[in-house]
Amino acid sequence: MSLLLEQLSLCELEARLGARGTTYKSALLFPKCLLLGLMAMTAVATGVLAENPSAPAMELMVDETQAARRIAFVHEELAVRPGALALAYPRWIPGEHGPTGPIQQLAVIRIHSGTVTLPWTRDPEDIYTIHVDVPPGTDRITVDFDTLMENTISDHQLLLAWNTVVLYPLNIDKVRLMIEPSILLPPNWKAGGSLRVTSQSGSRVNFAPVSLERLIDSPVLAGEFFRTVPLASAWPAELDITGDSQAALDKADDAQAFALFGQLVDQDRAMFGFRHWQTLHLLVSQSAAAGPLDGLEHEDSPYTAVGDAGLAQKGQLEKLGWMLLAHEQSHSWDGKYRRPAELYSKPNYQGPERTSLLWVYEGLNEYVGMLLGTRSGFNDAAYMRDYLGRIAADFANEPGRAFTPLVDTATEDWILRPFDVGWFSLRRGQDYYDEGALIWLRVDTILRQQSRDRLSLDDFLRSFFGQRDTEPIVVPYTREDIEAALSAICPYDWHTFFETRIYRVNDQPPTEGVEAAGWRLVYNATPNREFFDSELLPLSYNGLYSIGMSVKKDGTIFDVLPGTPAYEAGLGPDMKILAVDGQAYSGDVLNASIAHPRDGKISLAVRNFDTVASREIRYAGGVRYPHLDRIPGTQDYLSEILQPRK
Ligand SMILES: [Zn+2]
């Protein structure tokens, strides 16, 4: 493939562009007399390739000055050769595990060669691709478009996810295509992230060229109220945080959040031993406007959203610390550096990818997040035991597991993302996360038992996910690699172990890990603590473990478990409970009736569509919630597992 590489000074370039009367904002692209290495690319039927991986092949400028209005203006300059050119909008987004690139937010596409508008057409079989004919004699084109409704957090903050603001030549290698990015911020905003800043002029920030892959893995967190906090950790790490007020940033000191993050990075070091970055940038936005449980892993700049002044609230840190903050950053090892080969499409982002190994990528990382969250002090062992009891009970009472193997929840993961759906227990949710975690707890105890306490899962994590110090790269793996690596540190029939628990239907409750760790699932009248999912789906009553039904705040039934008293009473999702034993519905009223049923039954008035009917639940078992109890005379592995490492 031929390739033309030329060095132009900015002044020469501006002269050329000016002569062609480039479209608006093009002047913003080129700060005065900055030497640009521009690569003319070969655009032929087989693609566009960069032979010199260090030279930028594309300039990409994102104008976020109107972020509060939920619109970003994108301007690209790319060198081309005459002929057919296909431009792609990223479809399979790393960390989202699905074809979720927000193509519907791409609008007002304008492609020019100088002053000449080039018509484009969308590929009818792949709506993420647009085609343009580059006319004879053309060596550069500009591509302008708007990205709508993405990246805005609030009036005061944004998170620029580069995959939402790039159209790239389809036939390139994402590791080799070099892009020189820049961002124009609202006045007086500051930005943070792992991209290296080369210059800043007013509100414009210019970054050093990076590959398309590194760009998409390097979001920019920006805000009017922005603070960088170096962490007191053995590895270089910093918190980049935003808030909707200066007070939200300053209050984070009160809850000792910064100390917790420092301890988290130190526990990473003790667990994995090696890192795949120079400096870890932990991006955290704080805003009431952000959706609950928002976060996305990145190799050296994981992102998490918490509520307004969330870092100042110990309750929020306890509830979200392991599930979001610890979880997203441990993906740097499990998910970013090591990634399932089938979930790492090449050469671009258009897929297709396969998601069946999410029981490792997410399930193991869920377990790792639990360990790191408790080891670093976001919560304590009692809190994590309560959560393990809750999820063990959820799966033990899930009828769908008798028909659907766990791996299927990974294979179809992205259609299971909606959480608030009826008959949840029949369809199964994204069970590869939490049931995966319980299975990895069993792996941990097997390693400990088989080695007579010489080994633990930490040894596997270090050898498979730590490996060595490197720059950010991706090292793919297969299921066979996982099983071989486990066998290398502890001979065992790992293939059959995973086959029977993940790849085949397993209707047994997944409690063997908990039991091997010295604890057992019990039920009593003490409600569980509040976990992260209370932010996602606030319930007024969780009676799944008693009458077999959970209810939302407004009395609408969320789910009913087949075979339980609520199911036998004819109840189903989306019906609305109006009254319980003659009293207007509330969680407390329902709880009182379950605790003291009259004649062994609970009477409900229930609205369904346009009818209101009476329903009777026959139940006398009292209030029940799941917890873990010690198994007398056994080794308490779980407490050892949750202990901080030196
Ligand atoms: Zn995850």
Side-chain angles (χ1 to χ4, degrees):
M1 196 109 357
S2 68
L3 176 140
L4 302 169
L5 180 65
E6 57 182 344
Q7 294 284 333
L8 299 180
S9 75
L10 168 70
C11 305
E12 290 170 320
L13 188 62
E14 279 186 329
R16 290 192 191 189
L17 293 173
R20 293 196 302 237
T22 49
T23 55
Y24 81 105
K25 288 197 294 294
S26 63
L28 292 172
L29 262 174
F30 303 106
K32 291 290 178 190
C33 294
L34 171 69
L35 280 174
L36 300 173
L38 296 175
M39 182 180 302
M41 296 182 299
T42 305
V44 294
T46 52
V48 180
L49 283 175
E51 282 183 4
N52 181 346
S54 64
M58 182 195 294
E59 309 285 333
L60 170 60
M61 206 289 286
V62 181
D63 178 348
E64 284 281 11
T65 55
Q66 303 302 310
R69 291 202 288 165
R70 300 172 178 81
I71 187 167
F73 308 107
V74 183
H75 180 81
E76 297 180 343
E77 300 258 350
L78 58 160
V80 294
R81 288 186 65 182
L85 176 65
L87 296 171
Y89 190 66
R91 180 186 184 115
W92 279 80
I93 308 307
E96 295 187 2
H97 315 322
T100 50
I103 186 69
Q104 72 278 13
Q105 310 291 25
L106 189 68
V108 199
I109 302 169
R110 292 145 288 155
I111 304 177
H112 289 90
S113 169
T115 57
V116 178
T117 299
L118 304 183
W120 57 267
T121 56
R122 190 182 299 272
D123 191 311
E125 295 183 350
D126 174 12
I127 62 172
Y128 282 77
T129 297
I130 66 171
H131 298 282
V132 59
D133 281 324
V134 178
T138 300
D139 62 359
R140 298 188 61 78
I141 62 171
T142 62
V143 180
D144 294 82
F145 58 90
D146 299 346
T147 295
L148 314 174
M149 310 302 290
E150 294 286 321
N151 301 326
T152 302
I153 296 173
S154 74
D155 270 339
H156 309 284
Q157 310 175 46
L158 67 88
L159 180 80
L160 176 54
W162 293 96
N163 66 280
T164 67
V165 292
V166 65
L167 276 168
Y168 66 92
L170 175 66
N171 295 314
I172 50 81
D173 181 338
K174 61 189 173 187
V175 177
R176 300 183 68 202
L177 176 69
M178 298 299 289
I179 297 178
E180 187 163 19
S182 56
I183 182 173
L184 192 62
L185 296 168
N188 302 316
W189 284 33
K190 294 193 180 75
S194 59
L195 293 177
R196 186 169 64 82
V197 175
T198 53
S199 63
Q200 186 155 4
S201 173
S203 295
R204 179 178 167 138
V205 184
N206 302 304
F207 302 104
V210 290
S211 69
L212 176 62
E213 180 172 67
R214 290 294 303 141
L215 181 70
I216 286 181
D217 198 32
S218 305
V220 174
L221 178 64
E224 182 179 354
F225 307 103
F226 183 94
R227 185 173 169 187
T228 295
V229 183
L231 297 178
S233 50
W235 278 345
E238 68 178 45
L239 261 179
D240 295 332
I241 59 176
T242 51
D244 284 335
S245 65
Q246 188 60 42
L249 299 186
D250 297 339
K251 276 195 259 175
D253 289 308
D254 302 341
Q256 298 183 313
F258 305 145
L260 290 174
F261 281 99
Q263 290 159 25
L264 178 60
V265 176
D266 282 343
Q267 289 301 314
D268 289 335
R269 184 168 179 256
M271 177 182 277
F272 295 107
F274 302 92
R275 58 191 158 107
H276 314 112
W277 33 262
Q278 291 294 325
T279 301
L280 186 63
H281 298 258
L282 299 167
L283 311 182
V284 181
S285 72
Q286 306 175 92
S287 177
L293 297 182
D294 194 10
L296 192 62
E297 59 268 32
H298 299 283
E299 182 103 42
D300 57 355
S301 53
Y303 168 71
T304 305
V306 298
D308 184 33
L311 293 179
Q313 299 169 32
K314 287 189 173 170
Q316 283 273 304
L317 290 170
E318 181 182 66
K319 192 159 49 169
L320 302 177
W322 73 270
M323 179 55 212
L324 280 175
L325 303 163
H327 177 102
E328 300 302 357
Q329 60 92 50
S330 56
H331 270 313
S332 176
W333 292 266
D334 176 3
K336 304 308 283 189
Y337 171 61
R338 298 304 313 262
R339 196 174 311 171
E342 63 175 25
L343 193 55
Y344 183 50
S345 63
K346 284 184 173 177
N348 54 32
Y349 289 95
Q350 305 318 108
E353 297 185 355
R354 295 181 182 181
T355 56
S356 68
L357 278 171
L358 286 176
W359 61 269
V360 183
Y361 183 126
E362 292 293 0
L364 174 55
N365 196 59
E366 188 84 338
Y367 182 66
V368 165
M370 291 175 183
L371 271 48
L372 289 169
T374 306
R375 289 178 184 178
S376 55
F378 282 93
N379 54 42
D380 59 21
Y383 186 92
M384 195 45 67
R385 283 199 303 272
D386 217 26
Y387 184 72
L388 287 167
R390 220 287 302 283
I391 60 174
D394 283 347
F395 297 123
N397 291 287
E398 184 183 54
R401 64 184 298 104
F403 308 96
T404 305
L406 183 64
V407 71
D408 194 59
T409 70
T411 302
E412 63 165 355
D413 89 290
W414 73 91
I415 66 163
L416 295 174
R417 289 256 152 170
F419 193 85
D420 183 6
V421 289
W423 298 116
F424 191 76
S425 68
L426 288 176
R427 75 176 78 239
R428 305 197 72 173
Q430 293 177 287
D431 292 359
Y432 56 86
Y433 276 93
D434 276 339
E435 187 168 337
L438 291 170
I439 290 169
W440 283 102
L441 170 59
R442 180 63 187 124
V443 173
D444 202 345
T445 56
I446 290 172
L447 292 171
R448 290 164 189 267
Q449 290 163 343
Q450 293 282 316
S451 68
R452 301 185 183 215
D453 298 332
R454 283 186 305 103
L455 296 171
S456 74
L457 194 75
D458 287 45
D459 295 280
F460 168 69
L461 295 171
R462 190 183 185 96
S463 66
F464 194 78
F465 293 95
Q467 284 194 333
R468 62 202 165 102
D469 290 331
T470 69
E471 292 296 306
I473 56 172
V474 179
V475 181
Y477 65 81
T478 62
R479 175 185 169 187
E480 291 70 31
D481 294 335
I482 290 282
E483 292 168 359
L486 280 165
S487 295
I489 64 168
C490 177
Y492 193 77
D493 186 358
W494 295 110
H495 182 79
T496 300
F497 177 86
F498 293 124
E499 189 69 21
T500 52
R501 287 156 184 81
I502 293 168
Y503 289 88
R504 293 186 208 153
V505 167
N506 175 23
D507 61 0
Q508 296 303 302
T511 52
E512 58 177 346
V514 167
E515 288 154 7
W519 296 76
R520 66 185 163 204
L521 177 62
V522 297
Y523 295 88
N524 59 42
T526 306
N528 295 93
R529 301 187 193 202
E530 262 208 358
F531 302 117
F532 68 93
D533 45 12
S534 66
E535 305 268 324
L536 196 63
L537 183 72
L539 295 174
S540 61
Y541 195 75
N542 185 354
L544 289 174
Y545 322 104
S546 52
I547 58 175
M549 177 175 75
S550 55
V551 188
K552 298 180 196 175
K553 291 279 189 199
D554 66 351
T556 302
I557 295 173
F558 170 54
D559 206 11
V560 174
L561 300 180
T564 62
Y567 184 87
E568 298 305 324
L571 297 169
D574 290 349
M575 295 179 180
K576 188 165 185 175
I577 304 173
L578 304 178
V580 181
D581 289 334
Q583 294 191 60
Y585 173 80
S586 74
D588 289 342
V589 167
L590 179 57
N591 187 65
S593 290
I594 292 172
H596 306 290
R598 298 175 191 167
D599 303 326
K601 63 187 182 192
I602 303 156
S603 298
L604 305 179
V606 178
R607 177 171 185 157
N608 194 35
F609 298 105
D610 293 332
T611 61
V612 176
S614 296
R615 303 282 181 186
E616 246 179 29
I617 299 176
R618 297 196 165 273
Y619 175 74
V623 174
R624 295 175 89 233
Y625 293 100
H627 301 280
L628 295 187
D629 248 6
R630 274 287 286 134
I631 304 173
T634 60
Q635 187 162 346
D636 185 0
Y637 278 122
L638 185 55
S639 296
E640 292 175 26
I641 286 168
L642 294 172
Q643 279 290 316
R645 295 291 184 268
K646 297 287 184 216

